Amino acid sequence: MQRLIRLAAFVCTIGIVAIAHGFIDPKFTPVHLVKESQTIFTGTLAADAQAGYRIAVSETLKGKPPSPVMSLARPKDDAAQEISDVLSSNGAKPVIVFTSEDGKTARLHVSGVWLQLTASEGGPWQIGLARQMSGVWAGGTDMLVRLCRYLLADPKASVPVSVGVSWMRDKAVLGTAEGTIAGMQALELGDDHRPHVFVASAKGDKIYRANKDDETFKDVTVETGLDSRSKQFCWMDLDGSGLPQLVTWDGSAIQVRQFRDGKFSIVDKGYPMPGGCLGLAPCAVGKGEPAILVTTSDLPLLLRRDRDGAWQATSLPGGDPVTGAAGVTCACITADFDNDGYVDVLQPRSKAGVLWRGGTDGFHPPQALPFSCTEGPARFCLGDFDGDGTLDVFVSGPDKNELWANDGKGGLLPVISSGGSLGYRCAPGASFCCAADLNHDGRMDLCVMYAKAEFSYHFSRGFRCFGEEGELRLVGPEGTPADVGQVAGCIWDFNGDGALDLAAAFANGQIVCYYNDAFNKPMLHVALKKGLAGPVTFSIWQGPNATQCLGTFTAGSIPVLAPLRQGSDCTIRYSLPGKAGIEKKIPWPAKAPATGVDVILD
């Protein structure tokens, strides 16, 4: 019966998507546009003294362009100034043109804006706005070019028009955490690797064990001896045991607890830190030495243990970029951003960002990035939102959001204005955000929570273009209205049915798990080999000749559940210190376990 309820709910979700907000046209998508266009080509745009502008053809994607150079007249209608501003601001960036079957009209996408072109007898093409085309594609021009290549190369290619996910009727109420909730973490503990939910709170942390048989949770805080109080926390393997350890800051000291034989125990006396801690993150230094990265109001701090177990603290290198980027707004981000195998440290600040690149001998001097945040606390998450195999960054500050696209070398460019619904339907001031693929379509979505507003889920249409239909909502444990806020969340397959679920902490402290309506979806369960500290950046590829990236992730002491687009062979690409460009072929088994196919990165 529960499976029938799931199917009915999913059908209802698909049926109402077209009228949800009207920004996405479900009847005419890029799939239709590519199919119906006579020719598709890219080119460079420049001013033309005789006509107005000209497009020099660079690459033909489909058909044959009308001429090597396409002349465009100067715009003359009421939108002339708006069109001229768009054309003149494009610079050397590529544009893409779609011509109709009769060759009399065309659509031009330039600087993320759609323009309508109309042929004139013996003269240049006339230009007008094509605002209705934003319902077809509201992303960047560079991403539209990549999307067209994808659609032309794969006959099964698609562009989603709906969120494609809904919740089961029944949800699980885990309990209530008192005090200010600092965050949540889904992880596996115990010999049976059962899923748990850890909730960090200044008045006492909580941990709940999932019961797959009846889709409930048990509060095992007392049973496991967990007595920590966390204002900041992270999980990492500090001793090379292959087991995650809990690292906490309670306002006065940083302590480490291990979980063995069903119990938590304190590893040492801890590291005194009464002066303030803005964040804790797992970090590997040099050739892979494990360390804790501590964000302070000054330089980030690396905490490592020597052979005798004593703490050694060293600051990351200082320099002019740090001095000129005053105003730390959120915790440092540790990840391998340039895919060279070494962990980098990114620190968003109010006026600029600072990046410390990792190397064989540790961290290089800092370099400045145009990675700014607003004043005050900010939340961030990592995800490959454009499918290029590198990690991008979403940041939500008190008064603005930004999506920073990775250029593949660790450089970051602001692109939220051409990110679909992220640019016009995503409020700032998030209390929590994470990259997720709850609809299991192999495209990385964005989950955003607010302490005083509604939960928001922006589904990916592919290539950094998002939609938000407003139909995926959270309801509180006692029928609380959907506009009651949440302060933290985490994602895992808690009931073992082969689909990712969402656990959320409400502003009133109640913890609720929402079970995904999907089931038996193909996934990978990716972990690092014992003794490898991480975080390690890895990407998953499927499709013809493994050319389609399904997501890029960071693996540490906690495994990653990574959805696939289909249950078939795939390839994982990653790098380790001193060993870049590793490829691991994953053959798909005839009978894959619902909990995911196990993969060890070594």
Side-chain angles (χ1 to χ4, degrees):
M1 178 60 70
Q2 187 73 312
R3 297 301 182 190
L4 293 177
I5 294 173
R6 290 184 178 199
L7 180 60
F10 180 77
V11 172
C12 289
T13 299
I14 294 299
I16 61 177
V17 65
I19 61 173
H21 57 61
F23 290 119
I24 295 176
D25 185 351
K27 296 182 179 179
F28 192 75
T29 71
V31 176
H32 302 95
L33 176 63
V34 168
K35 184 177 180 180
E36 295 179 9
S37 296
Q38 182 183 41
T39 63
I40 305 174
F41 60 90
T42 67
T44 55
L45 178 70
D48 187 291
Q50 294 183 343
Y53 300 89
R54 67 178 184 275
I55 298 174
V57 177
S58 302
E59 178 186 4
T60 302
L61 302 179
K62 178 184 178 182
K64 183 179 180 180
S67 62
V69 177
M70 190 178 198
S71 297
L72 310 180
R74 291 185 178 85
K76 298 178 181 179
D77 61 13
D78 295 339
Q81 188 59 53
E82 182 179 351
I83 296 173
S84 296
D85 291 343
V86 170
L87 295 175
S88 61
S89 66
N90 189 67
K93 294 179 291 186
V95 302
I96 186 168
V97 178
F98 304 80
T99 67
S100 61
E101 289 183 344
D102 60 11
K104 295 181 179 180
T105 61
R107 297 181 177 101
L108 167 64
H109 201 264
V110 51
S111 293
V113 177
W114 284 102
L115 300 177
Q116 180 74 29
L117 305 181
T118 305
S120 58
E121 191 68 30
W125 292 70
Q126 303 299 310
I127 313 177
L129 288 174
R131 299 186 193 276
Q132 75 283 358
M133 288 295 292
S134 64
V136 179
W137 178 257
T141 302
D142 56 339
M143 295 293 104
L144 181 56
V145 173
R146 287 182 53 194
L147 173 61
C148 288
R149 291 196 183 107
Y150 159 63
L151 294 174
L152 290 166
D154 187 352
K156 297 181 180 179
S158 62
V159 181
V161 297
S162 70
V163 68
V165 62
S166 58
W167 307 123
M168 290 171 55
R169 182 181 62 183
D170 297 329
K171 55 185 178 292
V173 179
L174 282 65
T176 302
E178 296 182 357
T180 301
I181 294 177
M184 298 172 64
Q185 178 67 61
L187 72 160
E188 297 173 329
L189 291 175
D191 295 335
D192 57 356
H193 302 289
R194 189 178 300 186
H196 287 67
V197 172
F198 169 79
V199 182
S201 172
K203 286 192 175 181
D205 298 341
K206 293 280 190 176
I207 192 157
Y208 303 91
R209 180 186 299 143
N211 187 346
K212 299 178 182 180
D213 295 334
D214 59 4
E215 297 180 333
T216 62
F217 286 78
K218 180 182 179 182
D219 184 342
V220 293
T221 306
V222 176
E223 177 183 324
T224 58
L226 181 65
D227 59 353
S228 54
R229 298 172 181 266
S230 300
K231 291 185 176 181
Q232 301 289 348
F233 77 97
C234 71
W235 289 81
M236 67 174 300
D237 179 8
L238 275 169
D239 60 5
S241 64
L243 301 175
Q245 295 173 312
L246 173 61
V247 183
T248 67
W249 179 71
D250 61 2
S252 61
I254 294 174
Q255 282 193 319
V256 180
R257 288 170 171 81
Q258 64 184 5
F259 182 80
R260 287 178 181 165
D261 300 324
K263 295 286 185 179
F264 283 98
S265 60
I266 297 176
V267 173
D268 54 33
K269 295 181 180 179
Y271 180 81
M273 195 164 185
C277 172
L278 299 177
L280 301 173
C283 188
V285 183
K287 297 179 181 180
E289 180 185 355
I292 304 169
L293 195 285
V294 185
T295 304
T296 73
S297 57
D298 193 11
L299 289 171
L301 193 68
L302 282 171
L303 284 183
R304 290 173 283 186
R305 283 203 190 95
D306 60 22
R307 294 181 178 179
D308 298 325
W311 287 107
Q312 299 294 327
T314 56
S315 297
L316 265 60
D320 291 338
V322 180
T323 304
V328 179
T329 59
C330 70
C332 288
I333 307 168
T334 58
D336 180 5
F337 287 100
D338 50 11
N339 289 358
D340 65 351
Y342 297 98
V343 176
D344 309 308
V345 175
L346 176 63
Q347 186 177 54
R349 296 194 173 204
S350 58
K351 296 181 180 179
V354 181
L355 177 68
W356 288 267
R357 294 185 185 273
T360 304
D361 299 321
F363 291 98
H364 299 165
Q367 65 181 87
L369 288 178
F371 186 103
S372 61
C373 276
T374 52
E375 298 288 348
R379 297 290 182 265
F380 67 84
C381 67
L382 300 175
D384 183 1
F385 300 114
D386 52 14
D388 66 351
T390 61
L391 289 170
D392 307 312
V393 187
F394 174 78
V395 179
S396 181
D399 53 20
K400 75 171 184 178
N401 298 329
E402 189 53 83
L403 179 63
W404 295 90
N406 192 337
D407 64 2
K409 301 177 182 179
L412 298 167
L413 302 172
V415 294
I416 199 167
S417 60
S418 58
S421 61
L422 292 188
Y424 59 78
R425 201 176 169 86
C426 186
S431 58
F432 168 80
C433 57
C434 71
D437 185 12
L438 294 179
N439 53 23
H440 286 259
D441 66 355
R443 299 174 179 88
M444 198 52 60
D445 308 323
L446 186 64
C447 171
V448 187
M449 293 180 179
Y450 301 91
K452 296 181 180 180
E454 293 185 1
F455 163 84
S456 181
Y457 192 82
H458 297 262
F459 67 91
S460 174
R461 307 192 71 200
F463 302 99
R464 212 170 60 216
C465 182
F466 293 85
E468 205 276 332
E469 65 181 25
E471 293 303 320
L472 188 66
R473 289 289 177 253
L474 303 184
V475 178
E478 297 176 358
T480 310
D483 59 356
V484 172
Q486 302 84 41
V487 295
C490 62
I491 290 174
W492 196 261
D493 178 10
F494 293 112
N495 58 358
D497 66 351
L500 295 177
D501 310 308
L502 172 66
F506 280 76
N508 60 7
Q510 292 182 305
I511 318 298
V512 182
C513 178
Y514 295 84
Y515 289 113
N516 200 328
D517 240 346
F519 53 94
N520 292 335
K521 295 291 185 178
M523 289 192 294
L524 297 182
H525 182 276
V526 184
L528 301 183
K529 74 171 182 179
K530 183 178 179 179
L532 189 60
V536 173
T537 296
F538 70 93
S539 56
I540 302 175
W541 301 75
Q542 272 188 321
N545 300 316
T547 55
Q548 297 168 14
C549 182
L550 308 189
T552 303
F553 310 84
T554 57
S557 60
I558 298 175
V560 174
L561 277 180
L564 301 180
R565 191 164 296 171
Q566 55 192 4
S568 62
D569 297 351
C570 59
T571 299
I572 293 183
R573 295 170 182 161
Y574 63 103
S575 296
L576 298 176
K579 191 177 181 181
I582 304 172
E583 282 202 358
K584 196 178 189 76
K585 307 284 186 182
I586 310 299
W588 196 252
K591 292 184 178 180
T595 52
V597 172
D598 290 331
V599 177
I600 303 294
L601 302 185
D602 52 17

